[in-house]
Amino acid sequence: MSDMGDTAAEEEGESPPVVAVGDAQIGTALADGAVVAVPGVGGYCLAVQVGTPGAEARLEALAADPDGPHYAVGNRDDVRALTSGWTDEIERLLERCWPGPVDVFLPRAATGLTGEVPVVRADEPVEEEELRTGEVRVEPEDADASGWAVTVGMPEGRALRRLCKEHGPWRTIPLTYNEPTQVANAFDVADVALVVDGGRRDGEMPTLVDATVSPVRVLREGALPSNFIDATMAMGTRKRLFGRARSKEG
């Protein structure tokens, strides 16, 4: 464990430290499975590194995510492990819109994320100790039979994207706070290891694209106009149709 886990630094009632986005403590905390607070457009969110034992269970114990689960990735390839519905259309969407203000709504990976703890149905028997230690997670009773859908985006700014690429992907839960001091005052250091200061937090929210259907569709227009997404995806369709026509002529 890192020095942040020392008993002296985790006295009851102590707020988590606010650190710069380039601080090496952030990567150490994430690798240790700690919860950290990171900035984003629209406010802060809590984040853990996917695949660290018990991390997502600790995250969910701190805050609710009624519109989740949410994930953040530092590069496009990480999305493949998060979904069971990867297609050429999704790849084309990400190639043309990332990095950029676009979140993508995807079918969740049916077998769970790489390194993630097993997910069991609500009606399956589970040992209380397994739940307490985060060895398993229970699927909500109203979850879709084919698995949850997830919302995946990229952090705003190069520094945060680099951090997420090196120490991610992240499972995230949005907060209602917009300033690092607000987040630090709302949590105990025993629950949230640190608060990252940096990144843009104002401006329009990312555009949300539904990639559980084909063709993809815009669910919520935000910083990237929906007509841009429609046009860039239609361009790919026209190229495929034109290519087929030429092959038939040949």
Side-chain angles (χ1 to χ4, degrees):
M1 290 290 291
S2 68
D3 292 341
M4 290 179 294
D6 292 347
T7 303
E10 296 185 352
E11 295 178 358
E12 185 177 358
E14 185 177 352
S15 298
V18 177
V19 302
V21 67
D23 197 308
Q25 294 181 85
I26 306 170
T28 302
L30 287 166
D32 286 346
V35 179
V36 304
V38 295
V41 175
Y44 268 82
C45 63
L46 298 179
V48 294
Q49 183 174 326
V50 171
T52 49
E56 291 197 44
R58 287 191 290 274
L59 180 69
E60 292 169 348
L62 290 176
D65 191 8
D67 298 323
H70 289 82
Y71 289 88
V73 298
N75 60 71
R76 293 192 301 268
D77 288 342
D78 286 342
V79 180
R80 292 176 181 267
L82 300 175
T83 180
S84 59
W86 182 264
T87 64
D88 291 342
E89 186 180 22
I90 293 173
E91 185 173 22
R92 189 166 66 253
L93 171 70
L94 301 184
E95 284 177 349
R96 296 176 181 180
C97 297
W98 277 6
V102 173
D103 287 348
V104 186
F105 193 60
L106 296 160
R108 187 174 189 172
T111 56
L113 308 182
T114 303
E116 186 181 309
V117 298
V119 179
V120 299
R121 296 194 309 271
D123 59 352
E124 290 186 80
V126 180
E127 295 291 336
E128 183 176 341
E129 180 68 11
E130 292 179 316
L131 288 174
R132 189 186 65 81
T133 59
E135 294 179 35
V136 298
R137 298 171 61 237
V138 177
E139 178 183 66
E141 293 183 3
D142 59 353
D144 187 271
S146 61
W148 295 322
V150 297
T151 301
V152 184
M154 270 193 170
E156 175 69 25
R158 291 183 179 179
L160 282 175
R161 284 197 297 272
R162 187 185 311 112
L163 180 66
C164 190
K165 182 178 181 179
E166 295 173 354
H167 302 284
W170 299 336
R171 168 74 191 279
T172 64
I173 292 183
L175 300 173
T176 58
Y177 306 115
N178 202 47
E179 297 298 330
T181 52
Q182 293 176 316
V183 182
N185 291 334
F187 293 97
D188 190 278
V189 70
D191 296 320
V192 176
L194 49 81
V195 180
V196 180
D197 185 10
R200 187 166 66 93
R201 298 183 293 278
D202 56 353
E204 283 192 272
M205 295 290 290
T207 296
L208 179 60
V209 177
D210 183 2
T212 66
V213 296
S214 182
V216 299
R217 60 180 178 176
V218 174
L219 290 179
R220 181 196 66 221
E221 185 169 20
L224 192 67
S226 59
N227 57 11
F228 174 87
I229 294 174
D230 293 339
T232 194
M233 298 306 292
M235 181 175 64
T237 302
R238 287 196 297 271
K239 285 183 176 180
R240 290 199 306 276
L241 291 175
F242 181 68
R244 289 173 186 169
R246 291 191 62 180
S247 64
K248 289 179 180 179
E249 291 173 1

